[in-house]
Amino acid sequence: MTWFQCYKSDRESARNAMLADNWWVVALRGVLAIMFGVAAFIVPAATMLAFVLVFAAYSLVDGLFSIVLAVRGAREGERWGLLLSNGLFGIAIGIAAAMLPGITVLAFVLMVAAWALVSGGLMLGAAFALKISHGRWLLVFGAIASMIYGVLLLVSPLIGALVLTWWMGAHALIFGVTLLALAFRLRKHRGEHIPDAIAASG
């Protein structure tokens, strides 16, 4: 194995160790998504205005959690551009939804579709930096589920508000359960030693 391959392997190990140590942030994202999904099914008849505002709040908080992970990664000298981009995009979508609460159902569907596709794509990219033992396949599953959801919205943008609420609830529940499973998988690896070569270079 060359020096570069060893260094790359150490960097990946450090990145995975950092993510494992911050498993609780991933768990909070999962709990938030599950709460949003449950709310969508409990009050499916809520007005579109109220639902847009709830989605805006969810997107903002979820984006903040992604940025927390990115910042913690940066402190360890890691590159977490995908997580940061995901967080910033989520916050931007949340702000847009909050500032335009009276948008039509069609516009809202297209906004959510863009959010699902972009966030899913960024998550898929981040998944390949995660070890299989740390739950890579869970992150891949969550990313693919988000992108499939985005495609479904684009294919059927004129679905009714009630159906949209159910779809969003189902997506949030699947995504939340996936993140919780990933978080507890990461928790098993918390406290793993970061390679000395990487710690020294940081």
Side-chain angles (χ1 to χ4, degrees):
M1 181 179 291
T2 65
W3 174 87
F4 175 76
Q5 289 174 323
C6 291
Y7 181 77
K8 182 179 179 181
S9 177
D10 286 345
R11 296 289 291 185
E12 290 177 351
S13 296
R15 185 179 296 114
N16 282 269
M18 192 287 301
L19 191 57
D21 288 342
N22 292 283
W23 65 272
W24 58 272
V25 180
V26 179
L28 284 177
R29 289 187 65 187
V31 171
L32 177 66
I34 291 174
M35 290 174 60
F36 178 75
V38 170
F41 279 103
I42 292 179
V43 287
T47 64
M48 180 54 64
L49 173 61
F51 193 66
V52 170
L53 293 178
V54 171
F55 171 76
Y58 165 69
S59 184
L60 282 169
V61 177
D62 184 67
L64 287 174
F65 282 147
S66 288
I67 290 178
V68 167
L69 279 177
V71 170
R72 287 176 175 271
R75 287 177 179 175
E76 298 294 336
E78 299 301 327
R79 294 180 179 179
W80 288 90
L82 291 176
L83 276 175
L84 180 61
S85 298
N86 193 7
L88 292 175
F89 182 74
I91 290 176
I93 289 293
I95 292 175
M99 294 182 65
L100 301 169
I103 58 177
T104 65
V105 173
L106 177 59
F108 182 60
V109 169
L110 294 177
M111 179 184 295
V112 174
W115 169 78
L117 287 170
V118 174
S119 62
L122 292 171
M123 187 182 300
L124 186 61
F128 291 102
L130 190 64
K131 289 181 178 179
I132 295 178
S133 62
H134 285 55
R136 178 193 295 173
W137 65 273
L138 287 168
L139 202 56
V140 169
F141 174 78
I144 293 176
S146 288
M147 290 188 289
I148 290 176
Y149 174 62
V151 171
L152 288 175
L153 290 181
L154 289 178
V155 172
S156 305
L158 297 178
I159 59 176
L162 184 60
V163 177
L164 171 64
T165 304
W166 287 341
W167 279 18
M168 292 192 70
H171 168 260
L173 287 174
I174 293 173
F175 187 65
V177 170
T178 301
L179 285 182
L180 273 182
L182 174 63
F184 286 105
R185 186 71 175 267
L186 290 170
R187 185 172 180 268
K188 296 178 181 179
H189 298 276
R190 69 188 188 282
E192 289 185 350
H193 179 63
I194 296 176
D196 293 334
I198 301 303
S201 65

